[in-house]
Amino acid sequence: MTEVRTRFAPSPTGYLHIGGARTALFNYLFARHHGGKFILRIEDTDRERSTPEAINAILEAMKWLELDYDEGPFYQTERHALYKKRIRQLLDTGKAYPCVCTPQELDAKRQLAQKEKRKPAYDGTCRPGEGVILSLPESKPYTIRFRSPQNGTTMVNDLVKGDVVFDNRELDDLIIARTDGTPTYNFCVVVDDIEMKVTHIIRGDDHLANTPRQIQLYHALGHTLPQFAHVPLILGTDKARLSKRHGATSVTAYRDMGYLPEAVVNYLVRLGWSHGDDEIFTREELIEKFALEGVGKSAGVFNPEKFLWLNSHYLKSHSLAQLADEIIPFIKAKGYPVPQDRQWLEKMVATLKERAKTLAELVEQAHYYLSDDISIDEKAANKFLTAEIAAPLNCLIQKLTAVADFTETAIQQAFTEALAKTGLQMGKLAQPVRVALTGSTTSPGIHDVIAVLGKERTLKRLHTAIQRLDTKKPGAGPT
């Protein structure tokens, strides 16, 4: 069997979006499953829209998703000599010809076709007769057009969609080189895939319309066809094509929101591919099980809630040490100093990992750990930090002050003694303490919070709460 060779060929006109990342993933998994090669090719022939920033963003996203390629990245702008050679081949065999029609003339023909309700297509003004080879004009600007078959059909034997037939009369003579000599997209794609010995072209079905033209170019250049697999597009929950209005759509945006690469990979592969009822896969399992037979014919629907659930699953599965490493960029992004005590950081993470769905959310919830600049919610304060709680809080302060070894067991014992002395139930004391320490009514278990905050910070915040209560006493003056 010929070695399987797949490629991912993005145009660097923006960030790597979810649809492109899924295409890259499918090509990567197919190559790995068959022990083949995965190639990265940057299709940067659109010089006006292609940017170095976009190229870097694509490479960065590929690295983050760990879609390691075996060859590349190749850049089409560095391969013009090759394209020029192949254009010359077509000209010399009468399979391409120079066209001197001006843009104004072509535009007028398009407008007339639209007015007459005909499909706008090149009318073959410069097309020579069969077997006639034209010399290149010396005094007029010209494009190079591919001499497309005018009769019969072109069939795409698609590994996902089945056989798709195109009427050749619907395919006009494609421009393969512009007036400045630069080659066009469809031509470059075919030449590159031939030169790189690509055996399987897996891409979105928005490229299906290009495929019959590319097949004709393969035949004209005298090469056997690769196998094509056009996968359905990804739709939003409103069944419209996925776009920015559906939320963050670039891979790096999800990275910056605190999603994990394993979750992104796992979620993307399930947008259009399935293996029984399985939902969660390791990378090794994906490589083992991925096959084009599992790709569906209907579009995948992007579900943000399911994506978030999957991310929370992976977040919970990470070790404390791993999460401590992963949240550091998010701590920096929020402007907090990065804790130098790794053991403390892991202890903090342990209290929050079951509650957060993303790394960014984990750091958001960790505000009262990472900063002493906390604001107490007024509604919570009015409900729980009342005059009646002052004495129980003072009692707890005394008990915690007396604790020498500030462990969770000792903290729990201090609470038990304070409750016994005041006659309160745990909830009646824990909730005011929670508001005093975190500023809100929701947090991890109060013993855990105190253990992470430590003795000094805990006592300081409880004393601040007592002072707040003192200012509310009658005759204490304005607050």
Side-chain angles (χ1 to χ4, degrees):
M1 180 181 175
T2 304
E3 179 187 55
V4 166
R5 292 173 65 83
T6 67
R7 48 70 159 182
F8 175 52
S11 297
T13 56
Y15 293 101
L16 179 59
H17 285 240
I18 289 297
R22 186 190 63 170
T23 297
L25 177 61
F26 280 11
N27 279 282
Y28 165 87
L29 291 174
F30 189 82
R32 293 289 174 267
H33 176 81
H34 291 283
K37 295 290 191 296
F38 173 51
I39 303 162
L40 176 62
R41 183 172 76 230
I42 306 296
E43 298 189 337
D44 56 346
T45 51
D46 187 343
R47 294 192 175 186
E48 289 184 6
R49 298 175 61 215
S50 298
T51 66
E53 292 77 17
I55 292 172
N56 289 335
I58 290 168
L59 297 177
E60 193 179 316
M62 294 282 286
K63 183 178 180 180
W64 184 66
L65 293 174
E66 295 183 38
L67 299 181
D68 50 302
Y69 36 91
D70 303 291
E71 298 176 18
F74 298 103
Y75 297 88
Q76 287 185 329
T77 49
E78 298 173 356
R79 299 167 64 80
H80 278 193
L82 177 62
Y83 307 138
K84 191 173 180 180
K85 176 184 173 184
R86 291 293 194 173
I87 288 171
R88 186 75 257 174
Q89 176 187 340
L90 293 181
L91 286 169
D92 291 344
T93 54
K95 293 170 183 174
Y97 61 91
C99 173
V100 296
C101 295
T102 66
Q104 294 77 16
E105 289 169 340
L106 294 172
D107 189 51
K109 291 176 182 181
R110 270 193 297 270
Q111 290 182 24
L112 179 62
Q114 289 169 347
K115 186 177 179 180
E116 296 176 350
K117 301 193 182 323
R118 291 184 287 110
K119 180 180 177 180
Y122 181 61
D123 61 2
T125 298
C126 296
R127 180 181 172 120
E130 188 73 35
V132 176
I133 299 174
L134 298 178
S135 57
L136 298 178
E138 295 182 2
S139 59
K140 286 185 177 182
Y142 60 89
T143 59
I144 304 294
R145 287 185 182 271
F146 172 62
R147 185 187 175 91
S148 184
Q150 292 183 313
N151 300 307
T153 60
T154 299
M155 180 181 288
V156 181
N157 304 118
D158 197 274
L159 295 174
V160 173
K161 293 183 168 298
D163 293 343
V164 185
V165 180
F166 292 84
D167 189 332
N168 288 340
R169 290 173 298 180
E170 296 292 311
L171 306 171
D172 60 358
D173 288 357
L174 175 73
I175 292 176
I176 60 175
R178 305 176 183 91
T179 53
D180 64 357
T182 57
T184 57
Y185 168 78
N186 276 299
F187 183 72
C188 294
V189 166
V190 171
V191 172
D192 284 337
D193 286 336
I194 289 172
E195 293 293 325
M196 295 175 186
K197 299 180 173 59
V198 172
T199 61
H200 294 77
I201 295 175
I202 305 168
R203 58 190 179 189
D205 64 9
D206 52 334
H207 287 279
L208 181 60
N210 292 324
T211 307
R213 295 185 182 279
Q214 294 173 6
I215 286 175
Q216 291 176 358
L217 284 167
Y218 269 98
H219 291 320
L221 291 166
H223 282 268
T224 56
L225 298 177
Q227 292 188 273
F228 293 94
H230 290 89
V231 300
L233 298 178
I234 302 173
L235 304 180
T237 50
D238 57 359
K239 301 302 170 68
R241 184 170 176 174
L242 194 66
S243 67
K244 289 182 180 178
R245 74 174 183 274
H246 295 105
T249 57
S250 76
V251 169
T252 45
Y254 282 104
R255 178 199 64 190
D256 296 343
M257 289 164 61
Y259 283 71
L260 299 166
E262 311 98 293
V264 177
V265 165
N266 197 148
Y267 188 70
L268 286 182
V269 80
R270 289 287 289 110
L271 285 174
W273 175 83
S274 62
H275 186 272
D277 295 325
D278 297 342
E279 288 286 347
I280 296 171
F281 302 87
T282 64
R283 185 168 298 243
E284 292 72 25
E285 288 171 336
L286 286 176
I287 290 171
E288 177 194 342
K289 296 174 180 178
F290 186 82
L292 291 174
E293 289 79 5
V295 176
K297 289 182 169 60
S298 58
V301 176
F302 186 83
N303 184 326
E305 288 76 23
K306 188 172 182 180
F307 191 10
L308 195 58
W309 168 82
L310 190 62
N311 195 69
S312 68
H313 164 82
Y314 278 99
L315 191 147
K316 290 177 177 64
S317 71
H318 279 204
S319 68
L320 296 180
Q322 194 174 0
L323 285 172
D325 284 334
E326 289 165 341
I327 64 169
I328 287 174
F330 297 89
I331 293 174
K332 291 178 178 177
K334 292 292 286 185
Y336 300 127
V338 177
Q340 298 304 304
D341 186 339
R342 283 288 304 205
Q343 191 175 2
W344 181 88
L345 191 58
E346 290 179 21
K347 197 173 180 181
M348 180 199 84
V349 167
T351 69
L352 297 171
K353 67 179 290 191
E354 297 297 324
R355 307 169 68 87
K357 293 183 175 66
T358 67
L359 298 173
E361 186 183 356
L362 193 154
V363 172
E364 193 77 39
Q365 292 180 6
H367 170 71
Y368 50 83
Y369 288 136
L370 297 168
S371 172
D372 289 318
D373 182 19
I374 64 166
S375 57
I376 294 180
D377 178 75
E378 283 300 320
K379 189 176 178 182
N382 291 335
K383 183 175 181 180
F384 295 106
L385 295 181
T386 60
E388 293 76 22
I389 203 65
L393 281 182
N394 272 315
C395 180
L396 180 63
I397 288 172
Q398 291 173 9
K399 299 297 181 185
L400 290 173
T401 302
V403 174
D405 186 13
F406 213 67
T407 63
E408 288 172 37
T409 302
I411 292 164
Q412 188 171 354
Q413 181 60 33
F415 263 88
T416 301
E417 292 173 7
L419 293 173
K421 188 169 183 179
T422 60
L424 292 179
Q425 295 295 315
M426 179 62 179
K428 293 293 185 180
L429 181 58
Q431 203 65 333
V433 171
R434 178 173 284 109
V435 173
L437 298 183
T438 70
S440 74
T441 56
T442 56
S443 79
I446 196 62
H447 299 146
D448 295 331
V449 171
I450 292 173
V452 173
L453 280 175
K455 186 173 184 178
E456 182 181 343
R457 296 172 80 197
T458 297
L459 292 175
K460 184 177 180 181
R461 292 185 193 184
L462 290 176
H463 280 299
T464 299
I466 294 293
Q467 290 168 5
R468 179 189 180 101
L469 293 174
D470 288 342
T471 62
K472 290 185 176 182
K473 290 179 181 177
T479 60

